[in-house]
Amino acid sequence: MSALKEKLETDLSAAMKARDDVRTRTLRMALTAVKNEEVAGKRSRELSDDDVVKVLTREAKKRREAATAFGDAGRAEQAQAERDEGAVLEEYLPAQLSDEELTALVADAIAETGAAGPRAMGQVMKVVNPKVAGRAEGGRVAAEVKRQLAE
């Protein structure tokens, strides 16, 4: 079992004992998502820490999108609940890259590939994505690559 999954399970037990509803609900949901990922496909498998981070990143993104949707619909209470769950998930994710760090990584990848123009975006993304790995959302990375290639 991955160390991260074990930590999630240990923290879930602690949250239940502390009667921390938000943390309990969020960790249960996260562990369910991890278990669903393990049994997805033709046969079940044990997820690595990197795989668990991918699942948690996806869940955190869902929380951000739901919070925005609830906020836009004038449902502040539900939006806040989604933000609270997102905050719990963020504790288990690697620190996000700052704009400066992301800009530097993309610039390095462009220099490395010798890419020029918007058509080379896929080429640059192939090089950047492994370096970013869970530390920046794909949309943010793509926007920065597109911006730099357009210059």
Side-chain angles (χ1 to χ4, degrees):
M1 183 185 299
S2 81
L4 184 54
K5 184 178 171 188
E6 276 182 35
K7 181 170 175 29
L8 288 169
E9 289 175 348
T10 305
D11 290 356
L12 173 60
S13 295
M16 289 167 73
K17 286 177 187 159
R19 300 205 186 293
D20 183 340
D21 291 338
V22 172
R23 187 170 281 282
T24 299
R25 179 178 69 231
T26 305
L27 293 176
R28 273 193 177 136
M29 171 276 309
L31 282 164
T32 300
V34 168
K35 287 178 180 143
N36 286 343
E37 187 69 26
E38 285 177 338
V39 297
K42 290 193 188 314
R43 59 195 157 121
S44 63
R45 67 192 197 288
E46 198 62 39
L47 295 183
S48 68
D49 276 352
D50 288 345
D51 293 331
V52 174
V53 166
K54 285 178 189 161
V55 172
L56 294 179
T57 302
R58 194 169 55 228
E59 292 300 319
K61 181 180 180 194
K62 286 180 191 173
R63 297 288 139 341
R64 280 193 300 279
E65 290 170 351
T68 303
F70 281 132
D72 292 347
R75 297 171 69 182
E77 202 172 295
Q78 284 99 335
Q80 188 56 51
E82 294 292 338
R83 279 193 289 275
D84 293 345
E85 288 183 9
V88 171
L89 290 172
E90 294 293 331
E91 295 172 25
Y92 297 93
L93 295 173
Q96 295 294 297
L97 290 171
S98 70
D99 290 340
E100 296 79 31
E101 291 170 318
L102 182 59
T103 301
L105 275 174
V106 171
D108 291 347
I110 289 173
E112 186 181 318
T113 58
R119 288 188 172 181
M121 188 164 169
Q123 205 180 354
V124 177
M125 290 295 285
K126 271 186 205 154
V127 175
V128 170
N129 277 336
K131 294 177 183 173
V132 171
R135 297 183 301 155
E137 209 171 87
R140 212 176 125 210
V141 176
E144 180 60 28
V145 170
K146 197 176 287 183
R147 187 187 70 74
Q148 286 192 31
L149 286 174
E151 289 175 0

